[in-house]
């Protein structure tokens, strides 16, 4: 079979992972990214065992583990700082073969980009138009026109490709809460355990990064577009400055101009992830709330699955339909679960929040972990045949 070509729109985690997956299987790939370079602002990112299995298939699990931090344990605390539940990393590894790895997003992006020949990466190439004609998909971008056998739309929540080829697909929907993310300066004595602290309509979480830094995240139930008081850092101090230790100390160690804030949106699933020889992938297909820390993990699963479906398949549209059948139900179920956890985590009415906390305290660790098996136990399909055979499992 002659070398096949894929154009990938978007050089985030999903797009780059797809490029690596296809490149490793002998495809000629081109990644069109509108930003002037392949990097992520942002803060930390947690990668669960299913993502590490996907990275394993890309030959990058070891590299990513070396770039990240693995905590001994972590869990959920109530608004007074009392533990409601705790998970031991050793138990996570025993059940799922990998720990939870947390790293800076920029490090993950760099690891993915470095796994590709540099001339396959086209920064500063915003895609402005797309069509799928009889000879294959065509995109127009700032540096010209690209034609290929397959087009992968990994251009995020507000995907240009989705809007062009899926005009009836539903628009992103506000989740009901906003999120802040930040990384502290290196701490002399970083907390030994990570935790998410559940308040009333607000949450604050933290987890270790390498080098003594901590990745922190917070949420608050607010109408979309609500402006913060003065600065985002001042807003965080106002909301969380008197929360239990170590939260005040963590906020004090965050540079005042280094707080990111985003209202959180999720994407109701389109009727299909596939249109002819074009496939939606990552947030462009299934943007979800971050409550399970699974958005990028699912994008990595997508990438590996898409490459397995396409590899050696003589009929590209049929291979893409297999990808759709494998990925749409799974990502739908993970997104639903993440949204449910968000609803519970954001409970604001004190009696409901108290009932939630009691239920969390009474749930044994093994029950929590067992309930995560369908999410964290994912394994990559080996090739097109197994991808098709494992459909619906
Ligand atoms: P994106 O990261 O959005 O990348 C899309 C890329 O396409 C961008 O580089 C963009 O510049 C480019 N682009 C857009 N339009 C065009 C165009 N027209 N032409 C060319 N390029 C274009 N997930 C986890 O797994 N673990 C976590 O801990 C986690 N925490 C999160 C915390 C928060 C607060 C949020 C909001 C999300 C979190 N996620 C997490 C989800 C995760 O960030 C996303 O699911 C993931 O980044 C999606 O990657 P992507 O490549 O699909 O999309």
């Amino acid at each position: 079979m002659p070398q096949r070509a894929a154009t990938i729109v978007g050089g985030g985690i999903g797009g780059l992972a797809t490029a690596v997956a296809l490149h490793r299987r002998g495809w000629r790939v081109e990644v069109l990214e509108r930003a002037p370079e392949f990097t992520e602002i942002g803060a930390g990112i947690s990668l669960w065992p299913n993502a590490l299995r996907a990275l394993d298939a890309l030959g990058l699990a070891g590299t990513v583990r070396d770039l990240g931090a693995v905590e001994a344990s972590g869990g959920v605390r109530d608004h007074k700082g009392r533990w409601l539940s705790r998970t031991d990393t050793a138990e996570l590894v025993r059940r799922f073969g990998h720990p939870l790895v947390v790293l800076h997003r920029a490090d993950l992006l760099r690891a993915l980009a470095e796994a590709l020949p540099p001339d396959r990466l086209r920064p500063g190439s915003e895609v402005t138009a797309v069509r799928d004609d009889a000879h294959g998909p065509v995109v127009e971008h700032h540096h010209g026109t690209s034609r290929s056998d397959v087009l992968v739309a990994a251009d995020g929540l507000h995907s240009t490709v989705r809007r062009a080829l899926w005009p009836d697909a539903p628009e992103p929907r506000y989740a009901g809460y906003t999120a802040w993310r930040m990384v502290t300066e290196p701490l002399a004595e970083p907390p030994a355990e990570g935790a998410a602290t559940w308040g009333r309509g607000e949450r604050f979480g933290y987890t270790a990064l390498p080098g003594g830094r901590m990745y922190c995240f917070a949420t608050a139930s607010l109408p979309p577009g609500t402006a913060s008081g003065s600065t985002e850092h001042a807003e965080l101090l106002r909301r969380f400055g008197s929360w239990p230790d170590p939260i005040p100390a963590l906020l004090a160690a965050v540079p005042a101009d280094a707080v990111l804030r985003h209202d959180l949106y999720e994407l109701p699933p389109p009727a299909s992830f596939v249109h002819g020889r074009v496939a939606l992938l990552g947030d462009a297909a299934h943007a979800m709330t971050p409550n399970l820390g699974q958005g990028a993990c699912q994008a990595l699963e997508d990438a590996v699955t898409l490459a397995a479906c396409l590899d050696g398949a003589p009929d590209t549209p049929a291979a893409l339909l297999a990808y759709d059948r494998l990925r749409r139900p799974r990502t739908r179920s993970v997104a639903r679960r993440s949204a449910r956890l968000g609803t519970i985590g954001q409970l604001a009415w004190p009696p409901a929040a108290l009932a939630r906390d009691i239920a969390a305290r009474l749930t044994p660790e093994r029950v929590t972990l067992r309930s995560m098996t369908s999410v964290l136990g994912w394994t990559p399909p080996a090739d097109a045949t197994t991808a098709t055979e494992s459909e619906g499992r």
Side-chain angles (χ1 to χ4, degrees):
M1 196 183 279
Q3 188 184 34
R4 292 202 287 164
T7 303
I8 294 148
V9 184
I13 295 165
L16 287 178
T18 306
V20 175
L22 289 171
H23 172 70
R24 283 170 63 87
R25 290 176 184 261
W27 283 59
R28 183 171 177 78
V29 296
E30 178 185 42
V31 186
L32 303 171
E33 167 57 47
R34 79 172 158 205
E37 53 182 326
F38 284 80
T39 187
E40 279 243 12
I41 50 160
I45 189 146
S46 19
L47 297 176
W48 290 89
N50 53 318
L52 288 159
R53 244 173 265 121
L55 286 162
D56 227 349
L58 303 180
L60 291 172
T63 307
V64 168
R65 273 187 71 151
D66 290 347
L67 290 168
V70 174
E71 275 178 347
S73 66
V76 177
R77 305 186 310 164
D78 71 8
H79 67 296
K80 293 192 171 153
R82 296 171 297 205
W83 288 102
L84 296 175
S85 69
R86 250 169 167 156
T87 303
D88 181 356
T89 293
E91 186 55 21
L92 194 68
V93 174
R94 198 184 64 73
R95 280 176 187 259
F96 301 112
H98 288 283
L100 169 67
V101 172
V102 185
L103 74 165
H104 201 286
R105 279 171 184 258
D107 291 336
L108 176 58
L109 254 279
R110 195 175 319 110
L112 290 166
E114 284 177 0
L116 290 164
D119 65 345
R120 305 291 85 218
L121 302 175
R122 309 279 305 271
S125 302
E126 177 164 6
V127 167
T128 50
V130 50
R131 61 181 192 278
D132 187 21
D133 65 25
H135 304 291
V138 183
V139 291
E140 286 167 30
H141 51 87
H142 284 169
H143 291 118
T145 300
S146 297
R147 182 182 284 282
S148 51
D149 300 299
V150 171
L151 176 66
V152 180
D155 50 347
L157 176 68
H158 300 291
S159 167
T160 302
V161 179
R162 188 185 66 239
R163 284 185 172 144
L165 296 181
W166 280 257
D168 299 329
E171 284 294 306
R173 175 170 68 201
Y174 183 54
Y177 40 101
T178 197
W180 292 267
R181 282 176 284 176
M182 63 228 108
V183 174
T184 67
E185 300 286 10
L187 301 173
E189 287 182 38
E193 289 178 291
T197 304
W198 283 352
R200 308 285 188 252
E202 296 176 326
R203 288 174 283 166
F204 193 102
Y206 53 86
T207 180
L209 285 169
R213 293 180 304 162
M214 299 295 290
Y215 164 46
C216 306
F217 43 91
T219 59
S221 298
L222 288 173
T226 306
S228 291
S230 51
T231 64
E232 299 301 344
H233 192 260
E235 181 70 17
L236 286 172
L237 285 174
R238 186 182 72 74
R239 287 178 179 275
F240 302 102
S242 58
W243 278 38
D245 289 336
I247 294 171
L250 294 175
L251 285 174
V254 172
D257 59 354
V259 179
L260 295 171
R261 173 168 165 211
H262 293 98
D263 286 347
L264 296 177
Y265 285 82
E266 54 192 341
L267 188 70
S272 171
F273 285 178
V274 169
H275 180 288
R277 278 165 287 187
V278 183
L280 297 171
L281 184 141
D283 277 12
H286 49 65
M288 57 187 72
T289 58
N291 301 296
L292 284 178
Q294 276 289 328
C297 300
Q298 292 301 310
L300 291 166
E301 288 188 13
D302 289 348
V304 166
T305 305
L306 180 66
C309 289
L310 285 170
D311 197 27
D315 180 348
T316 299
L320 292 184
L321 287 175
Y323 160 78
D324 174 63
R325 287 194 293 270
L326 282 171
R327 296 306 302 159
R328 206 155 32 85
R330 169 155 177 82
T331 51
R332 179 77 190 125
S333 134
V334 176
R336 276 202 178 126
R337 205 169 162 148
S338 186
R340 271 200 305 274
L341 185 59
T343 304
I344 294 168
Q346 290 300 123
L347 284 173
W349 188 47
L354 181 63
R356 167 200 70 192
D357 292 356
I358 292 169
R361 190 174 291 120
L362 292 177
T363 308
E365 179 195 3
R366 68 187 148 72
V367 173
T368 309
L369 280 175
R370 201 186 310 133
S371 76
M372 291 298 289
T373 301
S374 65
V375 178
L376 305 184
W378 175 88
T379 51
D383 54 34
T385 323
T386 49
T388 313
E389 280 173 356
S390 63
E391 277 175 40
R393 274 189 210 156

